[in-house]
Amino acid sequence: MGIIQSIKNSVRQRSIHVCYVNVGSCNGCDIEILACLSPRYDIEQYGIYVHNNPREADILLVTGAMCEQWEDKLADIWNKIPEPKAAITIGNCPVSGCTFNRRGSYIDPPVSKHIPIAASIPGCPPRPTEIISTILELAPKVFKDYEERQG
Ligand code: SF4
């Protein structure tokens, strides 16, 4: 492995930038993401930083049941994130529509039909610890040796 690649691996391990988007949720899952920022869970101690600029993000967290208004917008946000990147769905809504999936609902789950999803965290809502551990498990698989794997 080259020295540049090993520096990139080392930096990326401690600097994972996350942004999130709500494509039609009840806010329950969004509150769990916000709880990750609280002193109790303190997501930054793991080198995970949350902000809302997709151009600076590595990982996109998606909550919600995929309202039709979000179909183009979600793809736009995903396309703005530079490679290497990954998307994680939070909760049952992005997979099945959960409580919103009933006759007459204007939703179109799963979110994986609209952008590639690397991992899904089930729950209504999932716990902050599950969100943090999934990000930490997924990040090395996506970022480690990325340039070398591209050839
Ligand atoms: S999974 Fe549950 S808590 Fe999360 S957005 Fe859907 S209904 Fe709300």
Side-chain angles (χ1 to χ4, degrees), residues 19-78:
C19 70
Y20 71 94
V21 61
N22 171 343
V23 296
S25 87
C26 74
N27 282 341
C29 287
D30 304 81
I31 288 167
E32 299 305 315
I33 294 172
L34 287 178
C36 293
L37 298 168
S38 68
R40 176 164 182 180
Y41 297 103
D42 186 20
I43 200 170
E44 292 192 359
Q45 72 181 300
Y46 305 105
I48 304 170
Y49 301 93
V50 179
H51 53 77
N52 268 327
N53 183 356
R55 293 184 196 283
E56 294 177 16
D58 304 306
I59 289 182
L60 178 65
L61 304 181
V62 185
T63 65
M66 199 65 208
C67 294
E68 59 182 11
Q69 294 92 335
W70 272 97
E71 288 185 7
D72 295 340
K73 291 179 201 149
L74 179 63
D76 279 351
I77 290 170
W78 174 248

Coordinates of all heavy atoms in Angstrom, one line a residue, residues 19-78:
C19 N -24.1 13.8 6.4 CA -25.3 14.7 6.3 C -26.5 13.9 6.3 O -26.5 12.7 6.0 CB -25.2 15.7 5.1 SG -25.4 15.0 3.5
Y20 N -27.7 14.5 6.6 CA -28.9 13.7 6.6 C -30.0 14.4 5.9 O -30.0 15.6 5.8 CB -29.2 13.3 8.0 CG -29.7 14.3 8.9 CD1 -31.1 14.6 9.1 CD2 -28.8 15.1 9.7 CE1 -31.6 15.6 9.9 CE2 -29.3 16.1 10.5 CZ -30.7 16.3 10.6 OH -31.1 17.3 11.4
V21 N -31.0 13.6 5.4 CA -32.1 14.2 4.7 C -33.4 13.4 5.2 O -33.3 12.2 5.4 CB -31.9 14.1 3.2 CG1 -31.7 12.7 2.7 CG2 -33.0 14.8 2.5
N22 N -34.4 14.2 5.4 CA -35.7 13.6 5.8 C -36.6 13.6 4.5 O -37.0 14.7 4.1 CB -36.3 14.5 6.9 CG -37.7 14.1 7.3 OD1 -38.4 13.5 6.5 ND2 -38.1 14.6 8.4
V23 N -36.9 12.4 4.0 CA -37.8 12.4 2.8 C -39.2 12.0 3.1 O -39.9 11.4 2.3 CB -37.1 11.4 1.8 CG1 -35.8 11.9 1.3 CG2 -37.1 10.0 2.3
G24 N -39.6 12.4 4.3 CA -41.0 12.2 4.7 C -41.2 11.4 5.9 O -41.8 10.3 5.8
S25 N -40.7 11.8 7.0 CA -40.8 11.0 8.3 C -41.6 11.7 9.3 O -42.1 12.9 9.1 CB -39.4 10.8 8.8 OG -39.0 11.9 9.7
C26 N -41.9 11.0 10.4 CA -42.6 11.6 11.5 C -41.7 12.4 12.4 O -42.2 12.9 13.4 CB -43.4 10.5 12.3 SG -42.2 9.6 13.3
N27 N -40.5 12.5 12.1 CA -39.4 13.1 12.9 C -38.8 12.3 14.0 O -37.9 12.7 14.7 CB -39.8 14.5 13.5 CG -39.8 15.6 12.4 OD1 -39.1 15.4 11.4 ND2 -40.5 16.7 12.7
G28 N -39.5 11.1 14.2 CA -38.9 10.2 15.3 C -37.5 9.8 15.0 O -36.7 9.8 15.9
C29 N -37.2 9.4 13.8 CA -35.9 9.0 13.5 C -34.9 10.2 13.5 O -33.7 10.0 13.8 CB -35.8 8.3 12.1 SG -36.6 6.6 12.2
D30 N -35.4 11.3 13.1 CA -34.5 12.5 13.0 C -34.1 12.9 14.5 O -33.0 13.4 14.7 CB -35.3 13.7 12.4 CG -35.8 13.3 11.0 OD1 -36.8 12.6 10.9 OD2 -35.1 13.6 10.0
I31 N -35.0 12.7 15.4 CA -34.7 13.0 16.8 C -33.6 12.1 17.3 O -32.7 12.5 18.1 CB -36.0 13.0 17.7 CG1 -36.9 14.1 17.4 CG2 -35.6 12.9 19.2 CD1 -38.3 14.0 17.9
E32 N -33.6 10.8 16.9 CA -32.6 9.9 17.3 C -31.2 10.3 16.7 O -30.2 10.1 17.3 CB -32.9 8.5 16.9 CG -34.2 8.0 17.5 CD -34.2 8.1 19.0 OE1 -33.2 7.7 19.6 OE2 -35.2 8.5 19.6
I33 N -31.2 10.8 15.4 CA -30.0 11.3 14.9 C -29.5 12.5 15.7 O -28.3 12.6 16.0 CB -30.2 11.7 13.4 CG1 -30.5 10.5 12.5 CG2 -28.9 12.4 12.8 CD1 -30.9 10.8 11.1
L34 N -30.4 13.4 16.0 CA -30.0 14.6 16.8 C -29.5 14.2 18.2 O -28.5 14.8 18.7 CB -31.2 15.6 17.0 CG -31.6 16.4 15.8 CD1 -32.8 17.2 16.1 CD2 -30.4 17.2 15.3
A35 N -30.0 13.1 18.7 CA -29.5 12.6 20.0 C -28.1 12.1 19.9 O -27.3 12.2 20.9 CB -30.4 11.5 20.5
C36 N -27.7 11.7 18.7 CA -26.3 11.3 18.6 C -25.3 12.4 18.8 O -24.2 12.2 19.2 CB -26.1 10.7 17.1 SG -26.9 9.2 16.7
L37 N -25.8 13.7 18.6 CA -25.0 14.8 18.8 C -24.9 15.3 20.3 O -24.1 16.1 20.6 CB -25.5 16.0 18.0 CG -25.5 15.8 16.5 CD1 -26.3 16.9 15.8 CD2 -24.1 15.8 15.9
S38 N -25.8 14.7 21.1 CA -25.9 15.2 22.5 C -24.7 14.7 23.3 O -24.0 13.8 22.9 CB -27.2 14.7 23.1 OG -27.1 13.3 23.2
P39 N -24.5 15.3 24.5 CA -23.3 14.9 25.3 C -23.4 13.4 25.7 O -22.4 12.8 25.8 CB -23.4 15.8 26.5 CG -24.2 17.0 26.1 CD -25.1 16.5 25.0
R40 N -24.6 12.9 25.8 CA -24.7 11.5 26.2 C -24.1 10.5 25.2 O -23.4 9.6 25.5 CB -26.2 11.1 26.3 CG -26.4 9.6 26.7 CD -27.7 9.3 27.2 NE -27.8 7.9 27.6 CZ -28.9 7.4 28.1 NH1 -29.9 8.1 28.3 NH2 -28.9 6.1 28.3
Y41 N -24.3 10.8 23.9 CA -23.7 9.9 22.8 C -22.5 10.5 22.2 O -21.7 9.7 21.7 CB -24.8 9.6 21.8 CG -26.0 8.8 22.4 CD1 -27.2 9.4 22.7 CD2 -25.8 7.5 22.7 CE1 -28.2 8.7 23.3 CE2 -26.9 6.8 23.3 CZ -28.1 7.4 23.6 OH -29.1 6.7 24.2
D42 N -22.4 11.8 22.1 CA -21.2 12.5 21.6 C -20.6 11.9 20.4 O -19.5 11.4 20.5 CB -20.3 12.6 22.8 CG -19.1 13.5 22.4 OD1 -19.2 14.3 21.5 OD2 -18.0 13.3 23.1
I43 N -21.3 12.0 19.3 CA -20.8 11.3 18.1 C -19.4 11.7 17.6 O -18.7 11.0 17.0 CB -21.9 11.4 17.0 CG1 -21.8 10.4 15.9 CG2 -21.8 12.8 16.4 CD1 -22.9 10.3 14.9
E44 N -19.1 13.0 18.0 CA -17.8 13.5 17.5 C -16.6 12.8 18.1 O -15.5 12.8 17.6 CB -17.7 15.0 17.7 CG -18.7 15.7 16.8 CD -18.4 17.2 16.7 OE1 -17.5 17.7 17.4 OE2 -19.2 17.9 16.0
Q45 N -16.8 12.1 19.3 CA -15.7 11.4 19.9 C -15.2 10.2 19.0 O -14.1 9.7 19.2 CB -16.1 10.9 21.3 CG -17.1 9.7 21.3 CD -17.5 9.3 22.7 OE1 -16.6 8.9 23.5 NE2 -18.7 9.4 23.0
Y46 N -16.1 9.8 18.1 CA -15.8 8.7 17.2 C -15.2 9.2 15.9 O -15.0 8.4 15.0 CB -17.0 7.8 17.0 CG -17.6 7.3 18.2 CD1 -18.8 7.8 18.7 CD2 -17.0 6.3 19.0 CE1 -19.4 7.4 19.9 CE2 -17.6 5.8 20.1 CZ -18.8 6.4 20.6 OH -19.4 5.9 21.7
G47 N -15.1 10.5 15.8 CA -14.6 11.1 14.5 C -15.7 11.2 13.5 O -15.4 11.2 12.3
I48 N -17.0 11.3 13.9 CA -18.1 11.4 13.0 C -18.6 12.9 13.2 O -18.9 13.3 14.3 CB -19.2 10.4 13.3 CG1 -18.7 9.0 13.3 CG2 -20.4 10.6 12.3 CD1 -19.7 7.9 13.8
Y49 N -18.7 13.6 12.1 CA -19.2 15.0 12.1 C -20.4 15.1 11.3 O -20.4 14.7 10.1 CB -18.0 15.9 11.6 CG -16.8 15.8 12.5 CD1 -15.8 14.9 12.1 CD2 -16.6 16.4 13.7 CE1 -14.7 14.7 12.8 CE2 -15.5 16.2 14.4 CZ -14.5 15.4 14.0 OH -13.4 15.2 14.8
V50 N -21.4 15.7 11.9 CA -22.7 15.9 11.2 C -22.9 17.3 10.7 O -22.6 18.3 11.5 CB -23.9 15.5 12.1 CG1 -25.2 15.7 11.4 CG2 -23.8 14.1 12.6
H51 N -23.2 17.5 9.4 CA -23.5 18.8 8.9 C -24.4 18.7 7.8 O -24.9 17.6 7.5 CB -22.2 19.6 8.5 CG -21.4 18.8 7.6 ND1 -21.6 18.7 6.3 CD2 -20.2 18.1 7.8 CE1 -20.7 18.0 5.7 NE2 -19.9 17.6 6.6
N52 N -24.7 19.7 7.1 CA -25.8 19.6 6.0 C -25.3 20.1 4.7 O -26.1 20.6 3.9 CB -27.0 20.3 6.4 CG -28.0 19.4 7.2 OD1 -28.0 18.2 6.9 ND2 -28.7 19.9 8.1
N53 N -24.1 19.8 4.3 CA -23.6 20.2 3.0 C -23.2 18.9 2.3 O -22.2 18.3 2.6 CB -22.4 21.1 3.1 CG -21.9 21.5 1.7 OD1 -22.4 21.1 0.7 ND2 -20.9 22.4 1.7
P54 N -24.0 18.4 1.3 CA -23.7 17.1 0.7 C -22.3 17.2 0.0 O -21.7 16.1 -0.2 CB -24.8 16.9 -0.3 CG -25.6 18.2 -0.4 CD -25.3 19.0 0.9
R55 N -21.9 18.3 -0.5 CA -20.6 18.4 -1.2 C -19.4 18.1 -0.3 O -18.3 17.8 -0.8 CB -20.4 19.8 -1.8 CG -21.4 20.1 -2.9 CD -21.1 21.4 -3.6 NE -22.3 21.8 -4.4 CZ -22.6 21.4 -5.6 NH1 -21.9 20.4 -6.1 NH2 -23.7 21.8 -6.2
E56 N -19.6 18.1 1.0 CA -18.5 17.8 2.0 C -18.8 16.5 2.7 O -18.1 16.1 3.6 CB -18.4 18.9 3.0 CG -17.9 20.2 2.4 CD -17.9 21.3 3.4 OE1 -17.9 21.1 4.6 OE2 -17.8 22.5 3.0
A57 N -19.8 15.8 2.3 CA -20.2 14.6 3.0 C -19.6 13.3 2.5 O -19.2 13.3 1.3 CB -21.7 14.4 3.0
D58 N -19.4 12.3 3.4 CA -19.0 11.0 3.0 C -20.2 10.0 3.0 O -20.3 9.1 2.2 CB -17.9 10.5 4.0 CG -16.8 11.4 4.1 OD1 -16.2 11.7 3.0 OD2 -16.4 11.8 5.2
I59 N -21.1 10.3 4.0 CA -22.2 9.3 4.3 C -23.5 10.1 4.4 O -23.5 11.2 5.0 CB -22.0 8.5 5.5 CG1 -20.8 7.5 5.3 CG2 -23.2 7.8 6.0 CD1 -20.5 6.6 6.5
L60 N -24.5 9.6 3.6 CA -25.8 10.3 3.7 C -26.7 9.4 4.5 O -26.9 8.2 4.2 CB -26.4 10.4 2.3 CG -27.8 11.0 2.1 CD1 -27.8 12.5 2.5 CD2 -28.2 10.9 0.7
L61 N -27.3 10.0 5.5 CA -28.4 9.3 6.3 C -29.7 9.7 5.8 O -30.0 10.9 5.6 CB -28.3 9.6 7.8 CG -26.9 9.4 8.5 CD1 -27.0 9.8 10.0 CD2 -26.5 8.0 8.4
V62 N -30.6 8.7 5.6 CA -31.9 9.0 5.0 C -33.0 8.5 6.0 O -33.0 7.4 6.3 CB -32.1 8.3 3.6 CG1 -33.5 8.8 3.0 CG2 -31.0 8.7 2.7
T63 N -33.9 9.4 6.4 CA -35.0 9.1 7.2 C -36.3 9.3 6.3 O -36.3 10.1 5.4 CB -35.2 9.9 8.4 OG1 -35.4 11.3 8.1 CG2 -33.9 9.8 9.3
G64 N -37.4 8.6 6.6 CA -38.6 8.8 6.0 C -39.0 7.9 4.9 O -38.2 7.0 4.5
A65 N -40.3 8.0 4.5 CA -41.0 7.0 3.7 C -40.9 7.3 2.2 O -41.6 6.6 1.4 CB -42.4 6.8 4.1
M66 N -40.1 8.3 1.8 CA -40.0 8.6 0.4 C -41.3 9.2 -0.2 O -42.0 8.5 -1.0 CB -39.5 7.4 -0.4 CG -38.9 7.7 -1.8 SD -37.4 8.7 -1.6 CE -37.3 9.6 -3.1
C67 N -41.6 10.4 0.2 CA -42.7 11.1 -0.4 C -42.3 11.4 -1.9 O -41.2 11.6 -2.2 CB -42.9 12.5 0.3 SG -43.5 12.2 1.9
E68 N -43.3 11.5 -2.8 CA -43.1 11.6 -4.2 C -42.3 12.9 -4.5 O -41.6 13.0 -5.4 CB -44.3 11.5 -5.0 CG -45.4 12.5 -4.7 CD -46.7 12.3 -5.5 OE1 -46.8 11.2 -6.2 OE2 -47.5 13.2 -5.5
Q69 N -42.6 14.0 -3.7 CA -41.9 15.3 -3.9 C -40.4 15.2 -3.8 O -39.6 16.0 -4.2 CB -42.4 16.3 -2.9 CG -43.8 16.7 -3.1 CD -44.7 15.9 -2.2 OE1 -44.4 14.7 -1.8 NE2 -45.9 16.4 -1.8
W70 N -39.9 14.1 -3.1 CA -38.4 13.9 -2.9 C -37.7 13.1 -3.9 O -36.5 13.0 -3.9 CB -38.2 13.3 -1.5 CG -38.2 14.4 -0.4 CD1 -39.2 14.7 0.4 CD2 -37.1 15.2 -0.1 NE1 -38.8 15.7 1.2 CE2 -37.5 16.0 0.9 CE3 -35.8 15.3 -0.6 CZ2 -36.6 17.0 1.5 CZ3 -34.9 16.2 0.0 CH2 -35.4 17.0 1.0
E71 N -38.4 12.6 -4.9 CA -37.8 11.6 -5.8 C -36.6 12.3 -6.6 O -35.5 11.8 -6.6 CB -38.8 11.0 -6.8 CG -39.7 10.1 -6.1 CD -40.7 9.4 -7.0 OE1 -40.6 9.5 -8.2 OE2 -41.5 8.7 -6.4
D72 N -36.8 13.4 -7.2 CA -35.7 14.1 -7.9 C -34.7 14.7 -6.9 O -33.5 14.7 -7.2 CB -36.3 15.2 -8.8 CG -37.2 14.6 -9.9 OD1 -37.0 13.4 -10.2 OD2 -38.0 15.4 -10.5
K73 N -35.3 15.3 -5.8 CA -34.4 16.1 -4.9 C -33.4 15.1 -4.2 O -32.2 15.5 -4.0 CB -35.2 16.8 -3.9 CG -36.0 17.9 -4.4 CD -36.8 18.6 -3.3 CE -38.0 19.4 -3.9 NZ -39.2 19.4 -3.1
L74 N -33.9 13.9 -3.9 CA -32.9 13.0 -3.2 C -31.8 12.6 -4.1 O -30.6 12.6 -3.7 CB -33.7 11.8 -2.7 CG -32.8 10.7 -2.0 CD1 -32.2 11.3 -0.7 CD2 -33.6 9.5 -1.6
A75 N -32.2 12.3 -5.4 CA -31.1 11.9 -6.4 C -30.1 13.1 -6.6 O -28.9 12.9 -6.7 CB -31.8 11.6 -7.7
D76 N -30.6 14.3 -6.6 CA -29.8 15.5 -6.7 C -28.8 15.6 -5.6 O -27.6 15.8 -5.8 CB -30.6 16.8 -6.7 CG -31.2 17.1 -8.1 OD1 -30.8 16.4 -9.0 OD2 -32.1 18.0 -8.1
I77 N -29.3 15.4 -4.3 CA -28.4 15.5 -3.1 C -27.4 14.4 -3.2 O -26.2 14.6 -3.0 CB -29.2 15.3 -1.9 CG1 -30.1 16.6 -1.7 CG2 -28.3 15.1 -0.6 CD1 -31.1 16.5 -0.5
W78 N -27.8 13.1 -3.6 CA -26.9 12.0 -3.7 C -25.8 12.3 -4.7 O -24.6 12.0 -4.5 CB -27.7 10.7 -4.1 CG -26.8 9.6 -4.3 CD1 -26.7 8.9 -5.5 CD2 -26.0 8.8 -3.4 NE1 -25.8 7.9 -5.4 CE2 -25.4 7.8 -4.1 CE3 -25.8 9.0 -2.0 CZ2 -24.5 6.9 -3.5 CZ3 -24.9 8.1 -1.4 CH2 -24.3 7.0 -2.2

